[in-house]
Amino acid sequence: VRQSGRYTVLTGRNGPQSFPGTQHLPYHRFQTSAKLNELVNFYLSDIGEGIREVQIKEWYVKVGDHVKQFDALCEVQSDKASVTITSRYDGTIKKLCYDVDDIAQTGKVLVEIETSGGKTLEERSDDGQSSDNSSSSDDESSSMQEIRGHKVLATPAVRKMAKENKIKLSDVQGSGKEGRVLKEDILRHLGGERKVTPEIVPPPPTVQTQAPPRPQISPLTPPTALPQEPVVVPPKIQTPPVIGKDVTEPIRGIRRAMVKTMTAAQAIPPFGYYDEIDMTALVKFRRDMKVKALERGVKFSYMPVFIKAVSMALRHFPILNSSVDAKCENITYKASHNIGLAMDTKDGLLVPNIKNVQALTIFEIASELNRLQVLGDAGKLGTEELTGGTFSLSNIGSIGGTYARPVILPPEVAIGALGRIQTLPRFDENGSVVARHIMAVSWSADHRVIEGATMARFSNMWKAYLENPTSMILDLK
Ligand code: CAO
């Protein structure tokens, strides 16, 4: 069952269910009527996407705990997404078969539960049809919580998360179907957001606004107060980790996914193209927009403009928004501009993407980017966010540097890396030296299907939008 990009997996006592396909998780009929106090093996089922093993991130239960159907048992991390495993039974946990950080194989026993004869789930029959991955699945996994006379829809995992963080579900704006509260909503709430203010909600798709943080106003110093010494805050010094001896450990989690993706990427002959963008006008534009966006509760960096300009240029160069199959025999021109952005998260490099950028305003892109960053910071980016990208940008300049050699993410065919915006001397039209804001861009394109000239023309168009941001208005849809 998928909840907004993350999967909640219902697992059976009769062994793993087969969930073929990528996005759809069909149900299989199997008998689950547990007898009183029967010891049940709870298998880790196939969670789709060809995932064969996962790493245990966190147990939500311990031996001796009593669990109910749909209670979250643990969080696992595949090389694609974070997944919550929920119980199918009422019963007592007798054994956890793995420790945190262990690799669990699909098809193997995950937990042993002594059932207490509770009612088990009514299974849907497997008639060969995939269940809709969002709406109906949400229905199955969501449960009601009665709060102040009205019902709030949320999954047990979400309720648990709310409880742990001492949040009333009724205080959280649900963004799921029929107002269901999703984990992202809790995270947003924790991040200090207020409920969505209707008058500033942009049109769909699913973008939300938040109220701007209140400025901290310090009380006025009474006139009689003695002049105070300025408080000197010592700079934070990060202590480097001390490794006293060689340490070897298995490569796991996101890094394991990076091994796979980057190894596959090595098979692509890249064409590199580099240019510099005069960002002076955009720096001013961003300064103004940053204030306006903050009034609507959204942090506004340069990325939303970079991303929108990419999409606008892609309309003229659809081949750059295509994918090729493994043997490079077929090329698919993608209708949606799902722009991926390399994100430096605490779990490692992840590339979530913003869907349908061609249909979003710059402000909507900024809102979505904010949401992805909150999820990234919390280690909660899911399959929905991490799959389906069609073109990528890597803003390494937010950390530093001028040039990079970005690696194409197969099956995409192009990627751009952005350097740090620097103030540098340049000549103006009169030949005088002036200070300008300059940013380098480094493109890599799959040279099997992309000509260098195409990449250069695309880059020129993208550059023209950024160097004259108001010109974007003419072509904005
Ligand atoms: N030059 C100068 N300043 C930049 C900049 C650049 N290229 N990019 C961002 N900034 C500024 C932002 O405008 C923001 O400034 P304010 O605080 O004044 O608003 C500040 O740096 C922080 O930005 P940010 O990083 O929070 O947001 P972003 O939208 O610019 O970037 C993201 C988001 C996810 C791309 C970024 O956080 C990130 O993870 N970057 C690293 C990408 C990476 O690791 N690439 C390598 C991949 S290959 O291993």
Side-chain angles (χ1 to χ4, degrees):
V1 175
R2 203 180 65 168
Q3 314 166 40
S4 276
R6 308 181 65 242
Y7 290 118
T8 297
V9 173
L10 307 173
T11 318
R13 65 182 282 232
N14 293 358
Q17 304 155 64
S18 151
F19 291 146
T22 50
Q23 297 289 324
H24 299 274
L25 302 178
Y27 289 81
H28 289 238
R29 178 179 284 286
F30 59 95
Q31 286 300 315
T32 54
S33 50
K35 292 184 203 110
L36 204 64
N37 297 337
E38 186 187 357
L39 196 63
V40 170
N41 279 337
F42 191 105
Y43 292 88
L44 177 64
S45 70
D46 182 345
I47 54 181
E49 307 258 348
I51 295 162
R52 293 276 155 265
E53 59 180 30
V54 293
Q55 187 172 3
I56 308 288
K57 270 174 91 178
E58 188 181 356
W59 283 106
Y60 297 131
V61 291
K62 56 183 184 320
V63 171
D65 278 1
H66 188 76
V67 290
K68 289 200 162 46
Q69 291 171 37
F70 296 121
D71 276 359
L73 296 178
C74 63
E75 192 83 4
V76 300
Q77 176 74 51
S78 77
D79 58 7
K80 296 208 172 69
S82 196
V83 179
T84 305
I85 308 288
T86 63
S87 176
R88 177 158 293 279
Y89 306 104
D90 293 354
T92 307
I93 302 290
K94 285 290 165 192
K95 185 178 173 192
L96 306 180
C97 301
Y98 299 95
D99 290 329
V100 168
D101 288 341
D102 280 357
I103 298 289
Q105 309 290 332
T106 55
K108 296 275 179 331
V109 180
L110 182 70
V111 192
E112 289 175 11
I113 300 180
E114 189 177 72
T115 59
S116 45
K119 244 176 63 186
T120 54
L121 272 184
E122 193 57 44
E123 290 299 319
R124 226 190 261 177
S125 77
D126 178 14
D127 55 8
Q129 284 187 333
S130 301
S131 61
D132 175 73
N133 59 24
S134 55
S135 50
S136 61
S137 338
D138 264 3
D139 290 345
E140 306 260 343
S141 64
S142 292
S143 59
M144 301 272 194
Q145 191 183 352
E146 197 91 42
I147 291 181
R148 284 196 227 119
H150 65 274
K151 287 172 174 175
V152 177
L153 282 169
T155 60
V158 170
R159 281 189 284 118
K160 185 173 189 313
M161 193 175 175
K163 199 172 155 198
E164 281 168 2
N165 289 287
K166 299 188 175 51
I167 292 173
K168 281 186 189 147
L169 277 180
S170 57
D171 290 344
V172 181
Q173 179 78 37
S175 65
K177 194 182 161 220
E178 292 164 13
R180 278 171 173 74
V181 176
L182 309 176
K183 276 194 180 173
E184 293 91 293
D185 300 324
I186 303 272
L187 291 171
R188 256 196 303 273
H189 190 87
L190 282 172
E193 281 196 18
R194 294 204 216 125
K195 287 187 179 179
V196 176
T197 317
E199 60 270 27
I200 57 163
V201 176
T206 60
V207 182
Q208 297 192 5
T209 56
Q210 64 182 65
R214 281 176 188 278
Q216 292 278 323
I217 302 168
S218 40
L220 288 173
T221 318
T224 49
L226 289 170
Q228 291 191 347
E229 284 290 310
V231 182
V232 181
V233 183
K236 264 192 189 165
I237 298 167
Q238 277 199 338
T239 328
V242 180
I243 300 178
K245 59 180 175 118
D246 296 354
V247 177
T248 305
E249 59 182 22
I251 297 171
R252 285 185 173 159
I254 303 288
R255 189 158 283 139
R256 187 180 272 229
M258 201 155 77
V259 171
K260 260 198 229 164
T261 316
M262 295 305 154
T263 308
Q266 274 304 105
I268 302 173
F271 168 79
Y273 181 83
Y274 307 89
D275 202 355
E276 67 170 40
I277 318 291
D278 186 334
M279 296 277 291
T280 310
L282 187 54
V283 166
K284 183 181 176 320
F285 173 84
R286 207 279 298 205
R287 206 178 291 140
D288 298 343
M289 289 307 115
K290 187 179 164 183
V291 177
K292 294 264 177 298
L294 200 61
E295 282 167 16
R296 297 182 182 190
V298 168
K299 186 176 83 96
F300 192 88
S301 62
Y302 296 97
M303 279 305 268
V305 188
F306 296 157
I307 290 169
K308 188 66 189 179
V310 158
S311 169
M312 290 167 75
L314 282 177
R315 281 174 45 214
H316 296 266
F317 301 94
I319 195 167
L320 289 169
N321 194 53
S322 67
S323 65
V324 288
D325 57 18
K327 291 187 177 166
C328 205
E329 288 169 344
N330 299 289
I331 183 162
T332 305
Y333 294 83
K334 298 287 194 174
S336 299
H337 296 172
N338 298 343
I339 311 300
L341 49 121
M343 194 177 273
D344 179 38
T345 73
K346 65 178 170 50
D347 292 329
L349 169 68
L350 285 173
V351 190
N353 61 81
I354 299 183
K355 304 272 188 304
N356 291 309
V357 168
Q358 79 282 1
L360 298 183
T361 64
I362 294 176
F363 178 72
E364 287 168 342
I365 296 168
S367 299
E368 178 63 356
L369 178 57
N370 282 199
R371 186 182 77 86
L372 295 178
Q373 279 186 285
V374 170
L375 290 179
D377 287 346
K380 300 283 181 194
L381 284 166
T383 311
E384 174 66 15
E385 289 87 17
L386 293 170
T387 55
T390 59
F391 185 104
S392 296
L393 284 180
S394 171
N395 183 12
I396 194 71
S398 65
I399 301 172
T402 307
Y403 308 102
R405 194 169 67 82
V407 179
I408 299 159
L409 289 175
E412 294 173 24
V413 297
I415 184 170
L418 316 162
R420 186 152 196 83
I421 302 166
Q422 306 169 69
T423 309
L424 294 171
R426 290 292 181 268
F427 291 109
D428 68 6
E429 58 276 16
N430 304 317
S432 311
V433 174
V434 289
R436 307 293 288 179
H437 296 286
I438 303 294
M439 181 185 77
V441 59
S442 315
W443 301 106
S444 293
D446 184 338
H447 214 343
R448 295 171 301 177
V449 289
I450 307 294
E451 287 86 8
T454 307
M455 196 69 237
R457 290 193 183 102
F458 167 86
S459 179
N460 286 345
M461 185 171 276
W462 182 76
K463 170 179 166 137
Y465 282 133
L466 299 187
E467 293 196 337
N468 184 4
T470 46
S471 72
M472 290 176 80
I473 294 168
L474 289 178
D475 298 330
L476 273 176
K477 286 217 164 189

